[in-house]
Amino acid sequence: AEEAAAAQAALEERLATACAEAADTQARLQSALDASTARAAELETALRSLEAGHGTLSAAHEELRAGHAATCETLAVAEATLTRVQAELESTATQLAQKDADLRASITSVMQIQADNAAQVRNERERGEKLEEEVRGLRETQGQLMGDNQAAALEVERQQGEINSLNGRLGESASALQRAEADRDLNAARAAEQAAALRAPLVGSDEVGRIESIVADFKRANGALLDSLDVRRFELLQLGIASHHAGMLPLEKALAEQLFQANLLKVVFATETLAAGINMPARTTVVTTLSKRGDRGVEP
């Protein structure tokens, strides 16, 4: 009976232990089930998010396809416009090159005209110098013959006639020199008009406005002298072209210097002082001759 009781007690103890282990196992299983249920809910939520994200990605993909098509169309239009602009630029460059060639040819012609005029003026001046020397020699001879006899007096009269003739020739030479200088100015003005007729883009519209303003101020300040000035010079100033030499009035030369210093004149036909760029913004100088008129005649 004691052994049976002991065995029953041991059996009950093991049963209690087994029940405790079963309860603990059930608790762990319940906890695992709860965790699995929560994980399943999270996975379901994530699945819904993925489905929503997939829809968003599909919409974004369609937008990208539409944007790509629009971009391709825009690029095609831009490429066509660029091709057209390049063709226009090439045409404009060709026209500018032609105008530049025409202007260079005109400048070469002007240089040749100036060289011819300079040679003509130089020859006339040398001729005048020779005539002056002859007149001085005849006058000296006249002084020596004044103390001689009647025959010498007749010779003096003859020499006086020659002197008068030489004086007339000297006057003709001076007139020819003046005409040569006038022809030089006229040829320079004509050459400048020819260069202006090419309509090369020497000055812009804003520069033309500034030139017109300065010329208008000049005319208002010197209204009494306008009748004695050459109107063509004012027309050429508005094209960025001017002349500057001793045959002009000081007021005209001062106006040309003012415009030149303001960088509003692009071509100036001038004597060596202005053409050398002294106190002036001259970038290119064309020298037509290496000699000029001085106190002792034509000097290098």
Side-chain angles (χ1 to χ4, degrees), residues 169 178 194 209 248 266 274:
R169 292 168 59 190
Q178 292 177 354
Q194 292 176 0
M248 298 170 59
K266 309 305 178 182
L274 186 72

Side-chain angles (χ1 to χ4, degrees), residues 185-186 189 193 225-237 243 249 252:
D185 294 341
L186 180 60
E193 290 176 354
L225 299 175
L226 293 181
D227 293 337
S228 60
L229 301 180
D230 191 349
V231 179
R232 292 176 300 176
R233 289 183 179 146
F234 293 113
E235 297 175 352
L236 293 175
L237 288 178
S243 57
L249 294 176
E252 291 182 288

Side-chain angles (χ1 to χ4, degrees), residues 116-129:
D116 295 340
N117 289 337
Q120 183 179 358
V121 170
R122 187 165 54 251
N123 293 334
E124 291 297 333
R125 287 176 176 173
E126 292 175 354
R127 180 184 175 190
E129 291 172 358

Side-chain angles (χ1 to χ4, degrees), residues 202-256:
L202 297 180
V203 292
S205 58
D206 54 340
E207 293 176 323
V208 172
R210 293 173 59 192
I211 292 173
E212 291 177 347
S213 176
I214 294 174
V215 171
D217 293 340
F218 175 84
K219 289 181 177 180
R220 283 193 296 268
N222 304 280
L225 299 175
L226 293 181
D227 293 337
S228 60
L229 301 180
D230 191 349
V231 179
R232 292 176 300 176
R233 289 183 179 146
F234 293 113
E235 297 175 352
L236 293 175
L237 288 178
Q238 296 180 358
L239 298 175
I241 302 173
S243 57
H244 186 286
H245 52 79
M248 298 170 59
L249 294 176
L251 289 174
E252 291 182 288
K253 293 193 290 184
L255 176 60

Side-chain angles (χ1 to χ4, degrees), residues 11-23:
L11 182 61
E12 289 177 356
E13 183 180 358
R14 283 187 294 180
L15 181 61
T17 300
C19 288
E21 291 177 355

